[in-house]
Amino acid sequence: MIPVTGGDPVLVSNPDSLLADKNLSPDGKLMLGNEAVKVNKVTGADYYPELVKSNVYIYDELMYRHWDTWEDGKFDHVIISPVDKKTDPVDIMKGQPYDCPGKPFGGDEDYIWSPDGRFVVFVTKHKSGTAYTVSTNTDLFAYEVATGKTRNLTEQFKGYDLAPQFNKKGELAWLSMKRDGYEADKQDIVVSDSRTTLNLTAHQDNIHVEGFRWADNDKDIFFWAPVNGTLQLFSVNYPGVTKMVSGIRQITQGDFDITGIIGQQGNTLFVTRTDMNHAAEIYSVNIETGDMAQLTHVNDAFYAGINLCKTERRFVQTTDNKKMLVWVIYPPGFDPAKKYPTLLYCQGGPQSPLTQFYSFRWNFQLMASQGYIVVAPGRRGMPGYGTKWNEQVSKDWGGQVIKDYLSAIDAVSKEPFVDKNRRGCIGQQAFQAAQLKGIKSRFVFLPDENHWVLSAQNAQVWQHEFYRWLAETLK
């Protein structure tokens, strides 16, 4: 069945026809995918076709750039293609100025076949322009293949609705946030069938679901969520029409992150796991006991040639008498009788916790020796990114934030901000301000990177520069 929040239920005629490749229809005849489709005029050539050599973008409203990509009038649409290629592909979002997968990070988890192949359920946000920019209200839509009709399944849910997954019975689970415009809201698992819709994790305030997978029994759901600076594996039962409170059970414990669920075989789950010393490897997990065994050893040879760091969890008292978790990361070969320079790293956000993750990503561009100035890479740091981030800071922390480009440049150029921790719009302005005030500073420009340094040699240059700066400064 297709769960709906209004109207009549839609029954699934063959609920056992789930295939391993979720993009392939249950009968094997159709394939789901997505393509960028031109919908709006944005470029100079769009408005003036004779000026084909122009390189101009023209905007009358937001969103003009999302994360690291300028809006060019194209939108990602879900496409149904015949496997035998005897008929033309069908754009199920034809003419719509909406995206699926959602930007900036959505993938093919944003669309899925119903178990009988009659419907495609997909995620999108039916808003445009400035309204789109300030909203997080994505919804799940069901497209009926035979008729081409689409309906909203989650209209009553006002925040993010993401990552739809069916079980073999045709019951649909997804990730959902409660409030519109609040992208750091608590994220829950919601399940719906033709008779009832239940939030399985709302009753436990400290559970924020990062991702999930239906269990093979179609009754339980496995998920991972933050706990004390780690990501752990949990299970929750789906009580169905009984509407009883769902029981949540933590399966794993330890100083590591569960970052994904690959599959299940009987009483064993297969997951990916990281910690601050180790990149992702595949582990098996005993569902009952939580016992884990490492199955892949891709990086063992590299680890054998380096000294690893000890990590230690501590809680510190905050000014409002709360307990805040911090990680202490000791250098390899730490000797408690010696003194070491200390680096303080404060996690940004507030969308995510600082856990036992492993990453090559850090790419601060501008370093200054009196306090420090941190400026994100050029494309991501441009003001188009900041709209929802600014709203988030206001909601969670209160106070005012810099909301426009000129004010940000002005603020970073004046006392008392230059020699304090700031986050500017463009690295050049912060660097110029630091230099004019005689502060030792360095500007590292990565024009082809965004929030992460993704190119291998760029990342190596960044790492070299970071440690060169520390060697010069921490004496």
Side-chain angles (χ1 to χ4, degrees):
M1 63 205 95
I2 290 284
V4 294
T5 57
D8 297 325
V10 180
L11 298 179
V12 168
S13 58
N14 182 18
D16 296 320
S17 59
L18 287 176
L19 297 183
D21 186 347
K22 77 173 192 65
N23 291 334
L24 186 65
S25 63
D27 62 9
K29 296 180 179 180
L30 300 172
M31 181 66 73
L32 287 179
N34 60 275
E35 295 180 7
V37 178
K38 186 75 170 183
V39 177
N40 290 343
K41 291 183 177 181
V42 169
T43 68
D46 290 337
Y47 286 97
Y48 310 102
E50 71 278 11
L51 304 178
V52 294
K53 295 183 179 180
S54 64
N55 185 21
V56 180
Y57 291 83
I58 303 166
Y59 302 98
D60 293 315
E61 59 181 353
L62 300 176
M63 169 79 70
Y64 58 87
R65 190 186 53 79
H66 210 154
W67 199 251
D68 64 343
T69 303
W70 290 91
E71 292 293 339
D72 60 359
K74 294 180 180 179
F75 294 83
D76 286 329
H77 285 183
V78 180
I79 307 296
I80 300 177
S81 301
V83 173
D84 62 13
K85 299 182 180 180
K86 291 183 179 179
T87 56
D88 293 333
V90 175
D91 178 355
I92 72 173
M93 304 167 66
K94 187 175 181 179
Q96 298 179 11
Y98 313 127
D99 282 297
C100 182
K103 290 182 178 178
F105 301 127
D108 69 357
E109 72 280 359
D110 280 353
Y111 47 81
I112 193 168
W113 289 101
S114 65
D116 63 357
R118 291 176 56 199
F119 296 88
V120 174
V121 173
F122 64 99
V123 177
T124 194
K125 188 194 303 184
H126 269 201
K127 295 180 184 292
S128 299
T130 302
Y132 169 92
T133 303
V134 299
S135 174
T136 59
N137 186 17
T138 60
D139 282 305
L140 307 185
F141 292 82
Y143 171 86
E144 188 171 19
V145 177
T147 66
K149 295 181 178 179
T150 301
R151 57 176 165 172
N152 190 341
L153 303 180
T154 58
E155 191 170 3
Q156 71 189 52
F157 295 86
K158 301 306 180 183
Y160 276 128
D161 295 300
L162 303 167
Q165 290 185 34
F166 283 101
N167 65 10
K168 292 186 290 295
K169 297 178 182 178
E171 296 161 335
L172 181 62
W174 69 92
L175 297 178
S176 185
M177 291 187 183
K178 185 177 181 179
R179 290 167 285 187
D180 189 11
Y182 190 21
E183 62 181 14
D185 207 355
K186 179 180 176 341
Q187 188 159 263
D188 291 312
I189 299 175
V190 176
V191 180
S192 185
D193 58 25
S194 61
R195 294 165 291 181
T196 186
T197 299
L198 295 177
N199 188 319
L200 304 188
T201 55
H203 63 283
Q204 194 157 325
D205 288 343
N206 63 337
I207 292 293
H208 175 94
V209 180
E210 297 281 348
F212 73 96
R213 180 186 176 99
W214 278 101
D216 286 350
N217 64 11
D218 293 326
K219 298 178 180 179
D220 299 321
I221 291 178
F222 300 110
F223 66 90
W224 62 99
V227 179
N228 287 335
T230 65
L231 294 175
Q232 299 298 329
L233 183 67
F234 294 79
S235 66
V236 62
N237 68 295
Y238 171 52
V241 294
T242 67
K243 295 188 177 180
M244 297 176 63
V245 175
S246 304
I248 297 175
R249 181 173 68 91
Q250 184 174 339
I251 297 174
T252 60
Q253 296 185 43
D255 288 352
F256 53 77
D257 282 2
I258 301 296
T259 56
I261 302 172
I262 299 172
Q264 179 182 357
Q265 186 176 47
N267 201 40
T268 300
L269 275 184
F270 301 96
V271 302
T272 52
R273 167 178 148 173
T274 68
D275 60 54
M276 289 184 181
N277 280 302
H278 299 92
E281 299 281 6
I282 298 174
Y283 284 73
S284 63
V285 182
N286 184 297
I287 295 170
E288 297 301 325
T289 67
D291 292 339
M292 304 186 73
Q294 186 173 344
L295 302 180
T296 62
H297 298 267
V298 174
N299 295 300
D300 282 6
F302 295 99
Y303 300 137
I306 60 175
N307 295 318
L308 303 182
C309 298
K310 174 188 174 183
T311 63
E312 178 178 287
R313 181 188 286 104
R314 294 186 187 178
F315 287 89
V316 298
Q317 188 169 354
T318 62
T319 56
D320 57 352
N321 295 316
K322 301 291 179 61
K323 295 293 185 181
M324 181 176 69
L325 184 146
V326 299
W327 286 105
V328 179
I329 306 172
Y330 295 95
F334 175 73
D335 182 351
K338 296 181 179 179
K339 289 186 176 181
Y340 294 83
T342 301
L343 297 177
L344 176 63
Y345 165 70
C346 299
Q347 170 73 9
Q351 292 89 337
S352 60
L354 179 58
T355 63
Q356 279 278 330
F357 70 97
Y358 185 94
S359 175
F360 303 99
R361 64 175 280 185
W362 301 113
N363 53 5
F364 306 133
Q365 280 188 287
L366 179 61
M367 310 157 195
S369 58
Q370 298 175 24
Y372 60 86
I373 301 171
V374 175
V375 180
R379 292 185 181 180
R380 188 251 187 177
M382 290 287 282
Y385 167 77
T387 304
K388 283 196 289 185
W389 189 85
N390 287 340
E391 298 288 340
Q392 215 52 56
V393 173
S394 297
K395 279 188 172 68
D396 285 346
W397 299 338
Q400 298 297 313
V401 294
I402 297 170
K403 290 192 174 183
D404 65 86
Y405 177 57
L406 295 178
S407 296
I409 295 173
D410 183 60
V412 83
S413 301
K414 293 179 178 179
E415 296 286 2
F417 298 117
V418 168
D419 57 351
K420 305 297 181 183
N421 302 347
R422 297 299 300 162
R423 190 169 191 146
C425 283
I426 293 289
Q428 296 95 309
Q429 283 77 24
F431 178 62
Q432 178 174 319
Q435 288 284 306
L436 290 174
K437 290 185 177 292
I439 299 173
K440 173 180 167 59
S441 51
R442 179 172 299 143
F443 178 50
V444 182
F445 182 49
L446 295 88
D448 298 323
E449 306 293 350
N450 54 68
H451 191 50
W452 302 271
V453 178
L454 300 177
S455 301
Q457 293 197 6
N458 285 352
Q460 291 183 62
V461 170
W462 153 242
Q463 296 290 340
H464 285 313
E465 283 300 309
F466 179 70
Y467 285 103
R468 182 162 74 96
W469 179 265
L470 295 183
E472 295 173 359
T473 308
L474 298 179
K475 297 179 180 179

